[in-house]
Amino acid sequence: MEQKAIVSLKNINVKFDGEVILNNIDLDIMDKEFITLLGPSGCGKTTTLRIIGGFLEPDSGDVFYDGKRINGTPPNKRNVNTVFQKYALFPHLNVFENVAFGLKLKKLPKAEIKEKVKKMLSIVDLKGYEKRAVSKLSGGQQQRVAIARALVCDPDVLLLDEPLGALDLKLRKDMQIELKAIQKMTKKTFVYVTHDQEEALTMSDRVCVMNNGKIEQIGTPIDIYNEPANAFVADFIGEANILNGFMLQDFKVNILGAEFKCVDKGFGDGQAVDVVIRPEDIEVTTPEKGILTGEVTGVVFKGVHYEMEVKTRGCVWLIHSTVASEVGSQIGMYVAPDNIHIMNKLFPTAYNEITASVIHADEEENSVTISVEGNDVEIPNTYYEKGTVLKIKLPPEGLKIAGNGIGQLNDAYIESVIWKGEYNEIILESDERKWIMRSAQDEQVATYVPICFDFSNAVILPVDREGEDEV
């Protein structure tokens, strides 16, 4: 039987202080499903939850509940309830009184309140805790009280905003299983927000991966893990080797100078691509039988497998294997064609391409100045007359994050950080465009940084006045 959407978001846009938080979001949430909004801090997932709950109105777009447009409907008029990370329990009320609070506001008969609370406490495994002070409960028990309080009023949709964040690791893992069991038992729609990919994979019927105010991919946990839409999704969901490659032809890709068979086609011969290979999909062989060979540089026992770091042709690969190889030994690596995932690159070109006019020229100093997004940027060891239009190809290595906090271009937003085995590939967004850089340093996604330019390896050519033909 075809599922129906209980909540639909259509063309949702939100800005705060001129900054785009949600960018044209479309999302259908199905009745009685457990769907997780997953992504890094600042990606827009909590804002999406607040819009569903009625705590925030979108700047544009429509919110539908069971097919009816509900823009402007206040939270208490929506058949939706919310569980927050800080459970917001009433410390002066006991367990029963906390769970019964919403029912008392509805002025239900005492007998009915007692019956509903008793049933809900049984569902969340707190039977017999009715008179217990909430301050005497463990973190997991407090969370179950918050869930019971939200569910006892019989909402169709329960919104959960990182409710496991305050719990320790073991309790968090236990509560993942319990939350899924509660959702199945109550047959409610759960919309869960987290940045923890293990939580998403463990509990969800579907996962909605978000980044930079957009939905990158929606699918089952298996689909998201096995068939990521791009390198960002692959990196965020589980561990992965994300490598640079180029297509030799359909079904053949070059990785680090070696030819691998794959099952992908349609990218075009010579097309640069991102290649994703999961650590468990690499078969360790003898050097003679491997497509690539490498040196084992590290081994860590993980309980059910060994995690090995292997360096080959300057690139570090991660391998999961039930058998460990000794550090310093040479091994071969083989990957079956259907375990190699080819995808388009997140950044469309290999260089940062800039077209700008010379606004100041100093022949004596052999330098020119151009304007980049309203900022004066000097290019040393280069001279062209004032007014000359330059076309610049700046390699990713020519972009740096200013260590002193003062850049030639400030407040660039870090959209993604992907480890490529040799360096971090970082995509940033400024006011007018996106940039690509490479760095040995790890950077935090969804933060703002100042950047500066190093033109020493850039290709700089003048173009004619119409900006058509290179001279």
Side-chain angles (χ1 to χ4, degrees):
M1 190 170 78
E2 187 177 349
Q3 279 187 301
K4 70 169 185 175
I6 191 167
V7 175
S8 293
L9 306 180
K10 302 294 184 186
N11 305 317
I12 298 294
N13 291 278
V14 174
K15 285 185 178 181
F16 291 151
D17 296 328
E19 179 187 345
V20 175
I21 306 300
L22 293 181
N23 188 355
N24 209 37
I25 292 290
D26 285 307
L27 176 64
D28 286 332
I29 297 170
M30 301 303 171
D31 190 24
K32 298 179 177 61
E33 79 166 332
F34 195 125
I35 185 170
T36 296
L37 308 181
L38 175 69
S41 297
C43 72
K45 54 189 186 293
T46 295
T47 301
T48 303
L49 204 73
R50 293 180 66 203
I51 287 174
I52 296 171
F55 302 106
L56 177 69
E57 285 296 314
D59 297 330
S60 62
D62 297 308
V63 183
F64 294 90
Y65 177 83
D66 205 16
K68 181 182 177 182
R69 186 176 181 274
I70 59 169
N71 292 54
T73 304
N76 63 316
K77 299 295 184 182
R78 302 185 184 196
N79 200 15
V80 175
N81 226 329
T82 305
V83 177
F84 300 99
Q85 182 174 350
K86 295 180 179 179
Y87 311 131
L89 299 177
F90 302 113
H92 62 289
L93 302 180
N94 62 27
V95 170
F96 181 94
E97 291 165 338
N98 264 279
V99 176
F101 186 81
L103 300 176
K104 290 180 179 179
L105 289 179
K106 293 184 175 183
K107 301 187 183 303
L108 296 183
K110 287 185 178 180
E112 185 177 349
I113 291 175
K114 184 176 181 180
E115 180 183 349
K116 286 180 177 289
V117 172
K118 184 178 179 181
K119 180 180 178 181
M120 190 52 60
L121 288 176
S122 177
I123 288 174
V124 299
D125 199 24
L126 286 176
K127 186 178 180 180
Y129 283 74
E130 290 85 350
K131 295 183 179 180
R132 190 78 61 91
V134 293
S135 60
K136 302 295 184 183
L137 301 179
S138 68
Q141 289 168 335
Q142 289 181 1
Q143 188 216 46
R144 282 180 282 177
V145 172
I147 292 169
R149 185 178 62 182
L151 287 173
V152 76
C153 293
D154 200 30
D156 290 327
V157 180
L158 186 65
L159 310 177
L160 301 107
D161 191 4
E162 304 206 43
L164 306 186
L167 306 180
D168 62 55
L169 179 61
K170 184 179 185 306
L171 187 54
R172 194 160 66 240
K173 288 179 178 293
D174 292 341
M175 285 306 302
Q176 291 172 16
I177 305 301
E178 289 194 33
L179 264 181
K180 182 63 177 175
I182 291 169
Q183 188 264 334
K184 289 293 186 185
M185 192 179 303
T186 58
K187 298 181 180 178
K188 302 295 183 184
T189 301
F190 277 30
V191 185
Y192 190 94
V193 161
T194 186
H195 60 272
D196 188 316
Q197 51 96 2
E198 182 185 342
E199 289 181 7
L201 295 177
T202 299
M203 296 186 290
S204 309
D205 298 317
R206 287 193 304 155
V207 178
C208 173
V209 183
M210 300 182 67
N211 185 38
N212 199 29
K214 297 179 181 179
I215 294 175
E216 298 283 355
Q217 188 174 358
I218 304 173
T220 67
I222 292 175
D223 289 342
I224 295 285
Y225 186 85
N226 288 334
E227 297 294 338
N230 54 43
F232 174 83
V233 176
D235 184 61
F236 205 82
I237 298 286
E239 293 181 295
N241 297 286
I242 305 176
L243 308 160
N244 293 315
F246 64 89
M247 296 301 294
L248 297 169
Q249 61 188 65
D250 286 350
F251 312 119
K252 287 185 181 179
V253 61
N254 183 296
I255 308 171
L256 298 178
E259 180 181 306
F260 285 78
K261 294 180 180 179
C262 62
V263 296
D264 297 277
K265 62 179 182 178
F267 286 90
D269 296 355
Q271 176 69 40
V273 292
D274 280 332
V275 182
V276 173
I277 302 173
R278 297 291 183 184
E280 65 272 18
D281 290 333
I282 301 171
E283 181 182 343
V284 177
T285 70
T286 60
E288 307 82 54
K289 294 182 179 179
I291 300 176
L292 281 172
T293 60
E295 179 186 352
V296 179
T297 57
V299 179
V300 178
F301 180 57
K302 291 287 188 175
V304 295
H305 65 264
Y306 293 92
E307 184 175 276
M308 296 188 291
E309 287 188 353
V310 179
K311 189 169 186 179
T312 176
R313 303 186 185 184
C315 183
V316 177
W317 291 49
L318 192 66
I319 299 177
H320 291 171
S321 175
T322 56
V323 179
S325 300
E326 292 185 3
V327 172
S329 63
Q330 292 287 321
I331 64 168
M333 296 183 290
Y334 171 81
V335 186
D338 57 352
N339 287 327
I340 296 175
H341 307 286
I342 308 297
M343 52 196 63
N344 289 314
K345 285 189 164 292
L346 288 174
F347 198 81
T349 60
Y351 296 89
N352 297 290
E353 298 181 355
I354 306 169
T355 301
S357 297
V358 176
I359 60 174
H360 178 72
D362 191 326
E363 187 172 10
E364 185 177 338
E365 293 292 332
N366 190 31
S367 69
V368 297
T369 300
I370 61 173
S371 178
V372 179
E373 298 188 13
N375 298 278
D376 291 354
V377 176
E378 183 182 352
I379 305 178
N381 304 315
T382 299
Y383 178 76
Y384 293 99
E385 292 182 357
K386 182 179 179 180
T388 305
V389 179
L390 301 179
K391 187 173 182 179
I392 304 167
K393 288 187 174 182
L394 180 69
E397 297 85 351
L399 207 62
K400 311 287 184 184
I401 294 177
N404 61 1
I406 302 173
Q408 294 167 304
L409 197 63
N410 291 313
D411 294 330
Y413 178 85
I414 298 181
E415 184 176 301
S416 67
V417 180
I418 307 293
W419 174 249
K420 288 296 187 74
E422 303 170 81
Y423 53 80
N424 282 304
E425 183 178 272
I426 302 174
I427 297 177
L428 308 101
E429 185 173 14
S430 59
D431 289 340
E432 298 179 10
R433 56 166 295 163
K434 293 186 179 183
W435 305 85
I436 185 170
M437 67 173 287
R438 293 179 180 176
S439 175
Q441 297 285 89
D442 197 13
E443 300 291 342
Q444 179 63 48
V445 173
T447 56
Y448 289 87
V449 294
I451 57 176
C452 51
F453 304 98
D454 177 1
F455 292 98
S456 56
N457 292 315
V459 177
I460 304 172
L461 294 171
V463 298
D464 67 6
R465 291 292 178 179
E466 286 74 34
E468 294 176 355
D469 302 316
E470 293 186 0
V471 177

